[in-house]
Amino acid sequence: MAKITSHLWFEKDARQAVEFYVDTIPNSAIGRTTDVAADNPSGPAGSVKIIEFVLDDQNFIALEAGPLDPFNHSFSVLVELESQAEIDRIWNAFLDNGGKPEQCGWLKDRWGLSWQIAPKILGDMAAHPDRERAKRATEAMLGMVKIDVAALERAFGEPDFAAQR
């Protein structure tokens, strides 16, 4: 059976980033840390670091290996949450740590990695068979920076939709 792991290339400060992610996202842990033992295009032996970590059962590797390509929106980490309180806590933790808010529940962390901080119900609303309700919820989301669950529920037309799931 294959194992899928997202691999993130950091110019520097990979350990700081991983520690922040693991401290912020529930059910997360840092695994093995390895220094690359051979000289390589990114530097001499020992200068390149590999950090294995898990964010809520999703496997990642952080590679600290100097400049290459910066992170961009073509890759993001989606964190789906059950409540507005969880959204607020994680959103604020990223902003308090130097992150920048973007539209539709997206933000960039201080290392440039894109994150989507969203309620689990958003996908259910968007996929709802009543396409008019799905459209209203989607349009409401498109006007938000941080996602507001109560506003989504009002637009969708079903108060407390999250509690019914």
Side-chain angles (χ1 to χ4, degrees):
M1 183 160 171
K3 178 181 176 185
I4 306 298
T5 301
S6 297
H7 195 271
L8 306 172
W9 184 301
F10 289 82
E11 178 177 348
K12 60 183 181 175
D13 301 328
R15 185 72 185 194
Q16 276 184 295
V18 170
E19 287 174 354
F20 171 74
Y21 301 155
V22 167
D23 287 346
T24 303
I25 307 298
N27 304 314
S28 301
I30 297 173
R32 180 172 52 191
T33 298
T34 306
D35 296 337
V36 174
D39 291 346
N40 61 80
S42 293
S47 66
V48 174
K49 312 286 186 225
I50 299 168
I51 306 167
E52 299 173 24
F53 65 107
V54 175
L55 298 178
D56 196 22
D57 295 327
Q58 174 68 46
N59 296 308
F60 290 88
I61 289 178
L63 175 73
E64 183 178 309
L68 184 63
D69 296 318
F71 294 122
N72 63 54
H73 289 97
S74 65
F75 179 85
S76 65
V77 179
L78 171 61
V79 182
E80 292 182 295
L81 301 159
E82 294 289 343
S83 71
Q84 187 68 53
E86 291 174 303
I87 290 168
D88 293 347
R89 183 188 68 77
I90 290 176
W91 182 270
N92 292 334
F94 275 91
L95 296 187
D96 291 347
N97 194 44
K100 303 287 185 229
E102 297 182 340
Q103 288 298 115
C104 307
W106 286 59
L107 57 80
K108 280 201 179 222
D109 69 23
R110 70 187 243 199
W111 299 277
L113 184 61
S114 293
W115 294 76
Q116 299 175 60
I117 312 301
K120 288 181 181 178
I121 63 161
L122 183 57
D124 293 338
M125 289 177 172
H128 197 277
D130 183 333
R131 301 314 294 154
E132 182 56 37
R133 293 173 81 191
K135 178 183 175 195
R136 289 193 312 261
T138 300
E139 288 173 343
M141 180 272 304
L142 290 170
M144 297 177 185
V145 176
K146 179 176 71 173
I147 301 297
D148 179 337
V149 174
L152 283 178
E153 290 173 332
R154 284 191 301 275
F156 186 73
E158 194 164 329
D160 209 17
F161 182 76
Q164 298 174 30
R165 295 182 53 244

